[in-house]
Amino acid sequence: MDMLIFKLEKNSKKPLYEQLYMGMKDAIITKQIEVGTKLPSKRKLADFLNISQTTVEIAYGQLLAEGYIASKPRIGFFVEEIDELPFVENKQAKIKVETVLKGTEPYQYNFHPGKIDTESFPFAIWRKYAKDLFDFPSKEYLQVGEPQGEYELRLEIANYLYQSRGIICNPEQIVIGSGTEHLLPMILRLIETNSKIALENPGYSAIPRIHLTNKAVPIAVDEDGLVVDELENTDANIVYITPSHQFPTGAVLSAARRTHLLNWAAKAANRYIIEDDYDSEFRYIGKPIPALQGMDQNEKVIYLSTFTKSLMPSLRVAYFVLPPALLKSYQEIFSYYSATVPRFDQHILANFMKDGHFSKHLNRMRKIYRKKHDRLTNTLTSFYPTTSITGDHAGMHILISVPLDKSENDLKQIANKSGIAVYPVSDYLLRPIEYEQPTFLLGFGGVALDDVEPAIHKLMNCWGIKRSHKKGKSHEL
């Protein structure tokens, strides 16, 4: 072949061998060097380009490793056939990505129901436990841990459940995983592959998307929680329910319906209740609602919970408690599984709980969220009496219905343009429901206490809802 002239910049930060490799590679791809062409010997090319033979040797070696050229012993290097890749003109123009700078909040006020109060997290204490774990040799934590999660953490969870939720279980019944989205498919596989699952409507929006195509059966929810009579008329044999604080309505499953539901499950061997104890830690009126699992006499309830609200969403620690009758099946089906939560994180959390810091943190957060809850509801009732409030007895969000003729989506867009994020109840429907008025979830966990009242005034103002002249008391809280 005629010697090709490659532009090599000897003062560049990029090594000469890399420049030569890239130049020859491009020439081969663009057919400037044809297939089958014999390349110059290392000595000739080095002399021609006034570089060392070592530089040429490394460049040839990389081309050889990637299959652009082939070596024939005692003959030389030859260009290989390379399949052409499909060409897309102006590739970047075809990819439109909306980007948000990391660490920035696109809204002035965000009423997402999943946000927490990050200002109140005990970073110093958490950091101490993390530091202690890494300062002392913990070589055993570098290996894969127990499939169900670290025993120390499962023991602390069992103790916590007994003290706070009246649940009697042992660590062997607990399985730890990285979120409800990871654990629910395991539960469904454990019970029965072809099971139909009844879901609350409205309900947790992620659940229908978790391996439930053509298996989900929507069941209505009213002020007493899941309508069990409606469940009786379906062929579902599993029901997923949030009985202590229904998401998103906030309804509590009544005592009569709890008994009815447990009796429904007891009627068939393959019937089970998955109890998601959503937001059970935060209740503002009356005593905490007992867990359904504590009433279960027939081993029909699989209890599911997370540390998402009580600690932080990013921790990604969730767990379920299996009835003893399902333990053997779990161990047979999932014997090859590994825990999906890092062992170091599990031990930090276990130590945090063991020394009483988790309980202290929860008590503190109950007071903080109660103040936010009261500030939010008092602002609405004092200044906007035409706006109705429901689901305000517990949790970290409320539901509001506004007397407006616009659609929920239109109102959402208006709020977004004003720098406020709100979430329509229609986002959480499995089957359409006609509401008399546009209804939204207002999560207050991630809104600063002093921002609650200004945020509500700004939201109502952008929607055109006039402030009442009634003297409000929200500023006194």
Side-chain angles (χ1 to χ4, degrees):
M1 63 167 264
D2 295 331
M3 290 289 186
L4 287 171
I5 299 176
F6 298 102
K7 188 177 180 181
L8 303 179
E9 299 178 4
K10 296 187 177 181
N11 295 324
S12 171
K13 292 182 179 179
K14 185 179 290 186
L16 289 174
Y17 74 84
E18 188 175 342
Q19 295 180 49
L20 178 60
Y21 151 75
M22 289 300 300
M24 297 190 72
K25 175 181 173 181
D26 290 342
I28 293 171
I29 291 173
T30 58
K31 307 298 184 184
Q32 293 180 57
I33 305 178
E34 296 180 359
V35 174
T37 300
K38 182 182 178 183
L39 298 180
S41 68
K42 289 177 274 188
R43 182 184 60 79
K44 285 185 177 179
L45 187 58
D47 289 344
F48 180 77
L49 296 175
N50 194 25
I51 56 177
S52 71
Q53 288 190 45
T54 303
T55 298
V56 178
E57 184 175 2
I58 296 173
Y60 276 11
Q62 187 64 34
L63 292 168
L64 186 65
E66 294 183 19
Y68 288 101
I69 63 175
S71 174
K72 295 182 180 180
R74 295 188 296 276
I75 300 177
F77 295 97
F78 295 83
V79 174
E80 286 280 82
E81 178 79 47
I82 304 295
D83 289 337
E84 291 187 9
L85 293 173
F87 177 71
V88 179
E89 186 178 357
N90 196 3
K91 183 178 179 181
Q92 286 192 344
K94 295 183 180 291
I95 304 175
K96 296 181 180 179
V97 181
E98 293 184 8
T99 59
V100 177
L101 291 175
K102 291 183 179 180
T104 63
E105 170 61 68
Y107 300 104
Q108 182 182 6
Y109 304 116
N110 193 334
F111 284 105
H112 193 285
K115 286 189 172 291
I116 65 166
D117 188 314
T118 56
E119 296 298 322
S120 303
F121 186 78
F123 278 105
I125 298 172
W126 191 267
R127 188 184 303 114
K128 175 187 176 299
Y129 283 100
K131 186 175 184 297
D132 289 347
L133 204 63
F134 284 100
D135 278 353
F136 295 96
S138 304
K139 296 178 182 178
E140 66 274 17
Y141 298 156
L142 301 178
Q143 303 288 357
V144 175
E146 298 177 64
Q148 290 182 218
E150 297 299 284
Y151 182 85
E152 291 84 350
L153 179 55
R154 288 187 281 130
L155 178 62
E156 292 305 320
I157 291 173
N159 291 335
Y160 166 71
L161 291 177
Y162 175 71
Q163 294 167 10
S164 67
R165 307 297 294 131
I167 293 175
I168 299 175
C169 66
N170 58 52
E172 286 73 25
Q173 292 173 252
I174 297 173
V175 177
I176 295 169
S178 56
T180 301
E181 300 87 347
H182 168 74
L183 294 179
L184 186 60
M186 293 177 68
I187 295 173
L188 296 179
R189 183 180 171 194
L190 177 64
I191 297 173
E192 189 179 339
T193 305
N194 297 318
S195 299
K196 281 199 172 181
I197 179 170
L199 301 174
E200 297 166 319
N201 188 48
Y204 179 37
S205 62
I207 295 302
R209 297 194 291 271
I210 303 175
H211 304 292
L212 297 181
T213 307
N214 301 322
K215 294 183 180 181
V217 180
I219 306 293
V221 173
D222 62 19
E223 63 274 8
D224 289 324
L226 185 89
V227 181
V228 185
D229 283 336
E230 190 175 313
L231 172 65
E232 290 268 21
N233 296 322
T234 71
D235 58 350
N237 61 303
I238 304 169
V239 59
Y240 177 96
I241 187 170
T242 51
S244 298
H245 182 242
Q246 201 278 328
F247 182 87
T249 68
V252 175
L253 191 67
S254 66
R257 288 193 183 174
R258 285 170 182 252
T259 302
H260 190 178
L261 184 62
L262 289 168
N263 287 334
W264 167 85
K267 289 177 182 177
N270 67 338
R271 286 185 178 178
Y272 286 94
I273 301 165
I274 301 173
E275 176 184 15
D276 187 340
D277 209 15
Y278 178 81
D279 267 2
S280 64
E281 300 92 350
F282 305 107
R283 184 162 181 80
Y284 311 116
I285 298 176
K287 295 181 179 180
I289 305 299
L292 189 64
Q293 197 265 8
M295 300 174 60
D296 181 25
Q297 301 295 317
N298 297 292
E299 299 188 357
K300 289 294 184 178
V301 178
I302 300 170
Y303 181 90
L304 177 68
S305 191
T306 79
F307 289 92
T308 296
K309 294 291 187 67
S310 56
L311 271 177
M312 49 181 154
S314 63
L315 186 61
R316 303 303 298 157
V317 175
Y319 57 91
F320 59 73
V321 181
L322 286 176
L326 289 177
L327 277 177
K328 185 177 180 182
S329 296
Y330 171 84
Q331 290 162 357
E332 289 174 354
I333 295 173
F334 298 104
S335 60
Y336 61 92
Y337 268 49
S338 297
T340 53
V341 180
R343 295 186 71 187
F344 282 95
D345 290 347
Q346 292 187 58
H347 282 278
I348 292 169
L349 177 55
N351 293 335
F352 186 80
M353 296 179 74
K354 182 180 178 181
D355 292 343
H357 292 294
F358 179 62
S359 296
K360 291 177 183 176
H361 176 65
L362 270 183
N363 289 334
R364 184 183 179 212
M365 295 315 299
R366 286 189 187 104
K367 295 175 182 176
I368 290 172
Y369 290 135
R370 187 186 186 101
K371 287 181 180 179
K372 292 185 179 186
H373 166 274
D374 292 350
R375 181 73 59 88
L376 177 62
T377 56
N378 193 54
T379 300
L380 287 166
T381 55
S382 297
F383 295 104
Y384 306 97
T386 59
T387 298
S388 62
I389 304 171
T390 54
D392 57 331
H393 290 178
M396 291 163 60
H397 76 271
I398 63 172
L399 283 183
I400 65 165
S401 297
V402 291
L404 298 171
D405 292 332
K406 292 184 174 65
S407 70
E408 287 180 354
N409 188 58
D410 286 344
L411 292 172
K412 176 183 176 180
Q413 296 303 322
I414 291 170
N416 289 172
K417 289 177 181 177
S418 297
I420 305 171
V422 292
Y423 302 87
V425 72
S426 55
D427 288 350
Y428 303 90
L429 295 179
L430 189 62
R431 180 173 58 197
I433 296 176
E434 290 294 329
Y435 287 88
E436 292 183 6
Q437 295 179 331
T439 303
F440 295 86
L441 282 74
L442 293 186
F444 50 84
V447 182
L449 179 61
D450 291 338
D451 285 341
V452 170
E453 187 171 331
I456 291 298
H457 290 319
K458 185 172 183 179
L459 175 63
M460 295 300 165
N461 181 62
C462 78
W463 282 347
I465 300 177
K466 292 183 179 180
R467 185 188 305 197
S468 170
H469 293 294
K470 181 181 176 181
K471 198 171 184 179
K473 297 181 180 179
S474 56
H475 63 281
E476 297 175 4
L477 293 174

